[in-house]
């Protein structure tokens, strides 16, 4: 017997001949000629070195060896057909592309994604997260959630999450280093910073203290730590490294479960926050995602 079998097409040819018991019937199903089917079966028998079919006056029947081979090929061909159908189904599933930043995707969106999947199991979501969205951020997205001001996005989007912040830390850190009854005391604590441009496009510790007319002593910042992504800021707060600025909407769950506690008075910026930018070419799937985002914010 040769170590090399004919290409995989032989399995389908053999399976159809065995199933239908006829070269002619198999040829009609496969779109081949009867001689071509007969030739392929003859080559297959030569490769295996055994007779697989008994030629009869009206069709063919399987030998014992042919029956064993048919059990294998029928399952394999069936599995391949089922896989091909699944590929076709997956290719037809709608995909909505959502572009946003790391903080929103990690702390707000991902913990709630199961809710959208339960409502719309037929729709797939592709989340594209970056540190900051650059000009042209919506060119390759169906839906965009971007942080900014009303002057920047008010004419093209709707305010999804208004910027509201409150200092946060763990109960353990607060008990050991507090209390922080007012911003003046808080200014003496170890703080966790998010790196940002100057001036910051969101509340940072400098602008937070400025709102309360508090000037931080130059020596108070010893031991402070800073990160370039907000997810790491939150993780550092959870690890009791200091006090962080908590964005409401992003740290709500951590506060409600008491993994973090409030450590100072809140602030808000009415015209600043996360904006929902609709797609340039709306479709039913992007509309569903946009509606769900608005409803989820309202619900929570």
């Amino acid at each position: 017997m040769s170590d090399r079998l004919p290409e995989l097409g032989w399995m389908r040819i053999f399976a159809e001949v065995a199933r239908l018991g006829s070269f002619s019937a198999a040829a009609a199903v496969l779109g081949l000629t009867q001689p071509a089917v007969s030739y392929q079966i003859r080559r297959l028998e030569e490769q295996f070195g055994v007779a697989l079919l008994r030629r009869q006056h009206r069709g063919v029947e399987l030998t014992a060896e042919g029956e064993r081979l048919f059990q294998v090929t029928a399952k394999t061909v069936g599995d391949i057909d089922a896989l091909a159908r699944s590929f076709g189904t997956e290719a037809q599933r709608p995909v909505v592309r959502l572009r946003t930043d790391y903080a929103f995707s990690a702390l707000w969106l991902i913990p709630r994604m199961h809710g959208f999947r339960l409502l719309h199991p037929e729709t797939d979501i592709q989340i594209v997260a970056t540190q900051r969205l650059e000009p042209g951020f919506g060119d390759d997205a169906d839906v965009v959630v971007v942080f900014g001001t009303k002057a920047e996005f008010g004419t093209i989007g709707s305010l999804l999450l208004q910027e509201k912040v409150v200092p946060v830390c763990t109960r353990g850190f607060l008990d050991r280093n507090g209390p922080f009854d007012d911003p003046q005391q808080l200014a003496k604590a170890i703080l966790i910073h998010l790196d940002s441009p100057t001036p910051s496009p969101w509340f940072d510790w400098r602008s937070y203290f400025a709102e309360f007319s508090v000037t931080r002593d130059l020596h108070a910042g010893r031991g402070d730590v800073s990160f370039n992504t907000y997810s790491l800021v939150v993780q550092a707060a959870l690890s009791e490294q200091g006090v962080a600025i908590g964005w409401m909407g992003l740290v709500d769950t951590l506060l409600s479960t008491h993994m973090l506690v409030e450590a100072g008075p809140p602030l808000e910026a009415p015209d600043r926050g996360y904006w929902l930018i609709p797609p340039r070419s709306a479709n039913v799937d992007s509309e569903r995602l946009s509606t769900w985002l608005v409803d989820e914010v309202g619900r929570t």
Side-chain angles (χ1 to χ4, degrees):
M1 173 180 172
S2 171
D3 291 334
R4 185 174 182 180
L5 293 175
E7 61 187 46
L8 291 181
W10 68 265
M11 286 196 296
R12 183 172 296 281
I13 294 174
F14 176 77
E16 289 298 332
V17 171
R19 182 175 67 86
L20 298 171
S22 166
F23 289 147
S24 299
V29 169
L30 296 169
L32 301 173
T33 64
Q34 188 273 345
V37 171
S38 178
Y39 171 74
Q40 288 296 333
I41 296 299
R42 187 164 61 252
R43 285 189 61 206
L44 187 60
E45 290 178 319
E46 292 172 356
Q47 293 286 339
F48 278 108
V50 296
L52 300 172
L53 302 170
R54 295 189 187 92
R55 278 74 172 172
Q56 298 178 329
H57 178 63
R58 296 192 177 188
V60 294
E61 67 177 18
L62 294 171
T63 64
E65 293 79 8
E67 186 64 45
R68 290 167 61 189
L69 181 61
F70 178 58
Q71 292 177 3
V72 174
T73 56
K75 182 180 185 306
T76 301
V77 169
D79 289 346
I80 292 173
D81 287 344
L83 185 60
R85 287 192 296 271
S86 72
F87 287 159
T89 301
E90 291 171 3
Q92 295 170 7
R93 284 178 62 85
V95 178
V96 181
R97 188 179 178 91
L98 170 63
R99 182 174 285 279
T100 186
D101 61 29
Y102 290 137
F104 184 85
S105 59
L107 297 172
W108 191 93
L109 185 60
I110 291 176
R112 295 172 170 85
M113 280 305 305
H114 66 283
F116 182 83
R117 288 197 296 268
L118 288 174
L119 287 174
H120 305 290
E122 75 286 351
T123 303
D124 293 336
I125 296 182
Q126 182 181 19
I127 301 171
V128 181
T130 55
Q131 178 62 8
R132 297 190 183 96
L133 300 185
E134 303 297 335
F137 56 78
D139 291 348
D140 60 348
D142 295 305
V143 180
V144 175
V145 177
V146 59
F147 189 93
T149 65
K150 183 176 182 179
E152 293 174 294
F153 304 112
T155 59
I156 60 173
S158 57
L159 187 60
L160 188 66
L161 278 177
Q162 177 189 338
E163 185 182 16
K164 298 179 181 179
V165 303
V166 64
V168 296
C169 64
T170 63
R171 171 58 63 183
F173 185 89
L174 183 63
D175 290 343
R176 289 192 302 274
N177 299 277
F180 309 124
D181 294 329
D182 58 59
Q184 190 69 54
Q185 289 177 304
L186 187 60
K188 299 175 183 178
I190 297 175
L191 304 179
I192 305 171
H193 302 266
L194 174 64
D195 292 339
S196 64
T198 302
S200 174
W202 44 70
F203 279 122
D204 60 4
W205 281 117
R206 183 188 300 275
S207 57
Y208 177 87
F209 287 128
E211 290 288 327
F212 296 99
S213 301
V214 170
T215 302
R216 198 177 187 213
D217 187 278
L218 293 177
H219 299 290
R222 293 180 179 178
D224 283 6
V225 61
S226 63
F227 298 92
N228 66 339
T229 65
Y230 188 63
S231 297
L232 295 178
V233 169
V234 173
Q235 187 59 50
L238 290 169
S239 301
E240 303 196 341
Q241 302 300 310
V243 184
I245 290 180
W247 270 267
M248 303 306 294
L250 304 187
V251 298
D252 301 47
T253 301
L254 298 174
L255 289 171
S256 65
T257 57
H258 307 293
M259 296 178 69
L260 293 175
V261 297
E262 296 186 12
L267 281 178
E268 62 181 73
D271 293 336
R272 194 167 65 195
Y274 279 103
W275 296 80
L276 174 62
I277 312 299
R280 294 176 180 174
S281 300
N283 59 66
V284 63
D285 299 300
S286 61
E287 290 292 344
R288 284 173 179 168
L289 179 58
S290 297
T291 299
W292 175 81
L293 288 167
V294 173
D295 291 346
E296 189 66 18
V297 167
R299 189 180 70 82
T300 56

